[in-house]
Amino acid sequence: DQNGSLSLEENPDKPGYYETPDDFYGIPGTVYSLQINLEEPIGGSNSYSASCELRPVGAIDSIQVVYNEDWEGYEVRIFAWEPPSENWYIFQVLKNGVLLNDTIDEFWTSDDRFFNGNYTNGIMVGFLDANNPDEKPEPGDTVTLQMSGITKDYYNFIIQLQDQTFQYRNPLFSGPPANVITNIPEATGFFAAYSKTYSSTVYKE
């Protein structure tokens, strides 16, 4: 960031993971930059770079888990004030500490166009399938909502990737998908920095 740089070393126990020290943490409002220097070129380049602002995220007052008979599942509802500025979010759900939607095709994303500056009085931001034993909450289970404040560019990246990778199903009668927009020139993927906040509830029938 503007205060200096940090060299990341590969975790010997997790090949491919380059991690920060335990005492390093992100600061909302800061723009973080990534610089990758390779010993051998990939895609004709030895160097890749990208930048992303770490946006703040507001607090959650509480969450609620409610069964929906029509959908045969459980709605995860949020109660929180939404700041009067343009914001974009990822919503993820944990049951007893286990993240249920941990891949990008399962992310719940949203902008704030319908509730900007207002109170989100029980809006559904997650869903648990009653027919999936890994998701179905039992009395006494702890359900946690993780809300991440992301940039508009990362929000658009997720939407485009979900649409083209997981919903692109008709290649015979439609044109090929366009390239997903990235913030890493001449590369695939996205360098994202974002903040998270949590709220939990113990499920009761």
Side-chain angles (χ1 to χ4, degrees):
D1 59 19
Q2 66 268 26
N3 297 316
S5 61
L6 180 66
S7 230
L8 303 184
E9 300 294 334
E10 186 175 23
N11 186 326
D13 298 322
K14 294 193 296 183
Y17 284 78
Y18 292 78
E19 301 173 342
T20 59
D22 292 339
D23 60 352
F24 178 86
Y25 55 91
I27 300 174
T30 300
V31 175
Y32 290 93
S33 298
L34 173 71
Q35 179 69 42
I36 301 174
N37 299 311
L38 304 173
E39 293 182 358
E40 299 180 5
I42 296 177
S45 179
N46 290 81
S47 178
Y48 294 91
S49 61
S51 296
C52 185
E53 179 188 2
L54 194 154
R55 294 175 57 86
V57 64
I60 302 172
D61 285 348
S62 63
I63 63 170
Q64 188 179 48
V65 179
V66 179
Y67 183 67
N68 186 315
E69 292 184 1
D70 295 332
W71 297 349
E72 295 186 357
Y74 301 79
E75 299 179 21
V76 180
R77 301 175 179 177
I78 186 173
F79 297 82
W81 281 105
E82 209 285 321
S85 57
E86 199 171 10
N87 296 286
W88 303 267
Y89 301 98
I90 296 173
F91 297 99
Q92 294 168 277
V93 179
L94 301 90
K95 189 182 83 170
N96 297 326
V98 177
L99 187 60
L100 299 178
N101 51 335
D102 58 352
T103 56
I104 201 166
D105 64 315
E106 299 171 334
F107 285 3
W108 280 57
T109 57
S110 178
D111 56 26
D112 62 356
R113 73 182 73 181
F114 298 118
F115 47 89
N116 186 23
N118 295 302
Y119 194 76
T120 58
N121 192 21
I123 294 175
M124 183 176 71
V125 292
F127 184 78
L128 303 176
D129 186 354
N131 298 311
N132 184 339
D134 291 333
E135 295 187 10
K136 181 182 178 181
E138 301 291 345
D141 284 343
T142 298
V143 177
T144 301
L145 177 67
Q146 174 181 291
M147 180 172 71
S148 303
I150 62 176
T151 63
K152 183 178 182 179
D153 287 343
Y154 188 41
Y155 170 83
N156 288 333
F157 172 82
I158 295 172
I159 295 298
Q160 291 176 18
L161 188 63
Q162 288 179 340
D163 180 57
Q164 296 186 10
T165 305
F166 304 104
Q167 299 177 21
Y168 182 66
R169 295 287 184 269
N170 192 14
L172 294 178
F173 302 102
S174 60
N179 291 335
V180 176
I181 296 175
T182 175
N183 65 347
I184 310 175
E186 301 180 2
T188 302
F190 200 96
F191 171 59
Y194 49 89
S195 49
K196 302 178 182 181
T197 189
Y198 303 84
S199 181
S200 298
T201 186
V202 176
Y203 178 70
K204 300 177 182 178
E205 286 185 322

